[in-house]
Amino acid sequence: MAQQARAKAPVEVTGAQSIVLSLEAMGVDTVFGLPGGTILPTYDPLLDSTSVRHILVRHEQGAGHAAQGYAAATGKVGVCMATSGPGATNLVTPLADAYMDSVPIVAITGQVGSKSIGTDAFQEADIRGITMPVTKHNYLVTDPADIPRVIAEAFHIASTGRPGPVLVDITKDAQVAKATFSWPPTFELPGYRPTVRPHSKQIREAARLIAEASKPVLYVGGGVIRAGAAAELTTFAELAQIPVVTTLMARGAFPDTHQLHLGMPGMHGSVAAVTALQKSDLLITLGARFDDRVTGELASFAPEAKVIHADIDPAEISKNRHADVPIVGDVKDVLVELISAVDSDRDSGKAGDYDDWRERCLGWKVDYPVGYTSEDPAMCSPQHVIQRIGAIAGPDATYVAGVGQHQMWASQFVSYERPNSWLNSGGLGTMGYCVPAAMGAKAAEPDRVVWGIDGDGCFQMTNQELATCVINDIPIKIAIINNSSLGMVRQWQSLFYNERYSNTDLHTSHNGERVPDFVKLAEAYGCVGLRCERPEDVDATIEQAMAINDRPVVVDFVVHRDAMVWPMVAAGVSNDAIKIARDTAPRFDREESEAFEQSEDADKDGK
């Protein structure tokens, strides 16, 4: 949670002033927003704040995604602000996105006067009712005296337990009326008591299963990053010598270059990661939720595995897959306790023996690396472009992706060595996330290089925030992976709809011109616009973008439109049916699978 300021003596102020004073007291340094009638009273005292920087966005969705980017890059609470009606409803998508991906943000919205609520007044919307399913909690404030307490509660709820979005809707008359402000406020949340420390009995039982297992896998989700537990994860993996897979939301939680890392599991995961989960006898699941994009057909997922499931949200445990050992608690605390328990078992001679299993997993990693073949050597390969961005910008940069093929390639071909270096819309899959989220990440960490890796479809949804970046000196770098298509949809049309490309061709006009011309568009916004169409120019173009740090850079990488994301598990089928290229058979043939299982049975009999 944001650092709170020293106590402040009571003073009579307007509700609007109370909002600003509360944000200052919470240590907020940046707010993304767009003013309108019902939030206007708050924008007046906000102008006088010396510690809160307001960044005027071009669309409220951009404010919400920017707050997400700020929060995901730093672990702090992101803040956005909007007026009532359409201003508030434009925040629904980023709120839903933050809810799915456990991102801590607080959204403050204006509301019509309390006497007008329910009358269908101008720009009235029941934003509290609308957002109830996609927020951890939300408030409607009609009394200015409640503002300090509600805002303090909102930040507490957003940042504790399983992080998530909180909405605070404040009527216009509450902003105008006067009340006494003092800090810190006192609050009681009797129904909100997140369990942080795991139960010792469950830790002991987990340690027992770990010692008895012969094919364990650490199945790591985004909760490890939200908990700030990357260091503890590495310590535990190295102590136990157990292979690790990191989900899309957990990229960077465990270094890609670490020998024990098998890669990303799921629909477009590595063969090693997918196969290790399928063949394991124990899943040590940390801050992951058995999402359908990881499990494939749930009934056939990791059929032989017992499950240790640790999560701070008890609702996630056994929701999709029964947990043999459920552990409710903060993943960081869980790992600290597991490290102690497993270390004690090792000292007493109870350590598990995973040498053969680990060798087998690492063999899959060597035999089936995540790679690609160029569709046309004369054209830029999207995978090569993204790989080179990662190599040249390095692991200290932050990478932000939109949604689609480019998102998957960015998760596969950039090496992530630190937590919070990879930002994307995982659960909701929101096209348009990239540009504003990159803006938020750069505003949060201005000294860090931020690359947005976007698709030409995603980019056209929120590129207006480039104007925000230029005016507010936020020099992000955007790589448009331009295949003139809604690429992931086109891939599915290629594979499952007999190459009937219905409404996926984006911007080639009848006379052959590109619509829009992204270089001209970038320049119109005041950015530097570059284009790269030849493979031999990729490195030089990236280096040119890296050398420009006084304004945003947009690079139009024109790539082959028929490149596909591999490996792939089709939606709704077993992970055993993973394909490594178009028209290939499932990777695991029956003979090889049975031979492996027979060799393991022989090993067990020998013991």
Side-chain angles (χ1 to χ4, degrees):
M1 188 169 67
Q3 182 64 43
Q4 297 189 25
R6 294 191 302 270
K8 296 193 176 187
V11 59
E12 189 177 58
V13 296
T14 66
Q17 291 172 316
S18 185
I19 294 170
V20 176
L21 289 171
S22 297
L23 293 176
E24 291 176 341
M26 291 305 306
V28 173
D29 55 29
T30 306
V31 173
F32 304 92
L34 197 153
T38 62
I39 197 67
L40 203 56
T42 296
Y43 269 80
D44 186 65
L46 186 59
L47 186 65
D48 298 324
S49 178
T50 59
S51 60
V52 179
R53 177 192 188 192
H54 180 273
I55 294 177
L56 174 62
V57 298
R58 296 305 181 264
H59 191 287
E60 291 89 354
Q61 183 180 351
H65 290 319
Q68 284 185 273
Y70 180 100
T74 63
K76 299 192 293 185
V77 177
V79 183
C80 55
M81 193 176 289
T83 193
S84 61
T89 58
N90 281 341
L91 288 176
V92 172
T93 295
L95 287 170
D97 197 293
Y99 186 72
M100 289 285 278
D101 288 348
S102 305
V103 180
I105 66 173
V106 169
I108 298 172
T109 54
Q111 183 55 275
V112 299
S114 54
K115 292 181 179 179
S116 298
I117 292 177
T119 68
D120 291 331
F122 177 66
Q123 291 193 332
E124 180 188 0
D126 178 13
I127 195 61
R128 190 180 182 206
I130 290 168
T131 61
M132 197 166 288
V134 295
T135 52
K136 275 189 75 175
H137 193 60
N138 58 25
Y139 297 85
L140 173 62
V141 180
T142 59
D143 184 347
D146 292 336
I147 289 172
R149 173 186 59 81
V150 167
I151 289 181
E153 287 181 6
F155 275 79
H156 176 72
I157 293 170
S159 59
T160 56
R162 178 178 181 173
V166 178
L167 177 98
V168 181
D169 195 35
I170 307 174
T171 61
K172 189 170 184 178
D173 53 318
Q175 297 172 59
V176 173
K178 288 194 172 184
T180 299
F181 172 86
S182 63
W183 197 270
T186 58
F187 60 82
E188 291 290 334
L189 297 170
Y192 182 69
R193 293 284 188 272
T195 300
V196 176
R197 294 295 301 276
H199 197 287
S200 59
K201 179 182 177 182
Q202 301 303 90
I203 294 292
R204 290 195 300 272
E205 182 63 13
R208 184 184 69 80
L209 288 187
I210 291 169
E212 293 176 353
S214 59
K215 299 181 291 182
V217 176
L218 277 160
Y219 165 24
V220 176
V224 170
I225 290 178
R226 298 290 182 254
E232 288 77 10
L233 171 64
T234 300
T235 298
F236 178 71
E238 291 178 344
L239 172 69
Q241 287 295 296
I242 295 174
V244 178
V245 303
T246 53
T247 68
L248 180 69
M249 292 305 300
R251 304 292 287 113
F254 193 73
D256 278 357
T257 53
H258 199 290
Q259 184 186 17
L260 289 171
H261 193 216
L262 302 181
M264 181 178 73
M267 177 175 280
H268 295 294
S270 70
V271 169
V274 171
T275 306
L277 290 177
Q278 287 300 97
K279 292 296 173 183
S280 67
D281 65 0
L282 177 65
L283 300 182
I284 306 164
T285 308
L286 304 171
R289 56 190 179 87
F290 292 88
D291 177 75
D292 63 287
R293 284 303 190 260
V294 169
T295 66
E297 181 188 43
L298 188 60
S300 64
F301 176 68
E304 301 173 6
K306 292 183 178 180
V307 174
I308 299 166
H309 192 178
D311 202 289
I312 200 162
D313 184 356
E316 289 295 345
I317 296 177
S318 293
K319 182 179 78 174
N320 295 328
R321 172 68 177 261
H322 171 72
D324 298 276
V325 180
I327 305 176
V328 179
D330 184 277
V331 171
K332 188 169 187 173
D333 289 303
V334 171
L335 279 166
V336 169
E337 297 293 333
L338 280 177
I339 290 167
S340 177
V342 171
D343 198 28
S344 294
D345 283 350
R346 291 173 66 86
D347 289 342
S348 59
K350 298 178 184 177
D353 181 4
Y354 321 126
D355 289 350
D356 292 343
W357 167 245
R358 188 169 55 252
E359 183 179 348
R360 185 71 178 180
C361 289
L362 297 178
W364 290 324
K365 183 178 176 181
V366 171
D367 292 342
Y368 300 98
V370 177
Y372 60 92
T373 56
S374 178
E375 299 289 333
D376 181 352
M379 293 193 69
C380 291
S381 160
Q383 301 97 321
H384 175 70
V385 168
I386 292 169
Q387 189 174 54
R388 295 308 299 156
I389 289 172
I392 292 171
D396 288 334
T398 295
Y399 302 89
V400 187
V403 168
Q405 287 181 312
H406 61 280
Q407 175 192 24
M408 295 298 102
W409 288 321
S411 71
Q412 292 175 331
F413 294 107
V414 175
S415 181
Y416 299 101
E417 302 298 312
R418 64 177 184 87
N420 304 316
S421 60
W422 163 245
L423 281 57
N424 81 121
S425 171
L428 197 64
T430 303
M431 291 179 68
Y433 170 91
C434 176
V435 173
M439 176 177 70
K442 184 67 173 177
E445 298 184 308
D447 294 331
R448 194 181 292 278
V449 172
V450 176
W451 270 98
I453 299 172
D454 216 356
D456 46 331
C458 289
F459 179 74
Q460 292 183 77
M461 293 191 173
T462 51
N463 65 64
Q464 70 273 4
E465 300 308 335
L466 290 173
T468 308
C469 291
V470 170
I471 291 170
N472 291 278
D473 298 320
I474 305 173
I476 60 175
K477 306 178 194 301
I478 301 294
I480 303 173
I481 307 302
N482 182 0
N483 59 6
S484 303
S485 303
L486 297 173
M488 187 62 85
V489 184
R490 181 182 172 88
Q491 175 166 335
W492 282 54
Q493 289 172 334
S494 296
L495 296 174
F496 308 119
Y497 292 90
N498 298 316
E499 299 182 347
R500 288 166 53 85
Y501 299 120
S502 174
N503 292 283
T504 47
D505 190 342
L506 275 180
H507 55 73
T508 302
S509 68
H510 64 278
N511 61 3
E513 293 181 354
R514 293 187 177 276
V515 180
D517 183 321
F518 289 129
V519 173
K520 291 180 180 178
L521 182 64
E523 291 172 348
Y525 276 125
C527 306
V528 174
L530 306 173
R531 179 172 290 122
C532 179
E533 300 184 80
R534 302 189 310 165
E536 57 266 33
D537 296 333
V538 168
D539 278 23
T541 305
I542 297 169
E543 296 281 8
Q544 186 179 356
M546 288 289 291
I548 299 168
N549 295 301
D550 61 344
R551 71 189 81 175
V553 182
V554 177
V555 187
D556 180 14
F557 287 102
V558 181
V559 301
H560 199 286
R561 76 185 319 176
D562 288 319
M564 293 193 185
V565 184
W566 302 108
M568 180 177 178
V569 178
V573 305
S574 170
N575 280 349
D576 289 324
I578 187 171
K579 295 178 181 291
I580 58 175
R582 186 174 184 176
D583 299 328
T584 59
R587 175 206 44 75
F588 245 133
D589 66 89
R590 177 66 57 187
E591 181 180 350
E592 198 274 344
S593 179
E594 290 178 349
F596 175 43
E597 289 167 358
Q598 289 170 4
S599 69
E600 289 187 318
D601 290 340
D603 288 342
K604 290 177 184 175
D605 293 341
K607 293 176 183 177

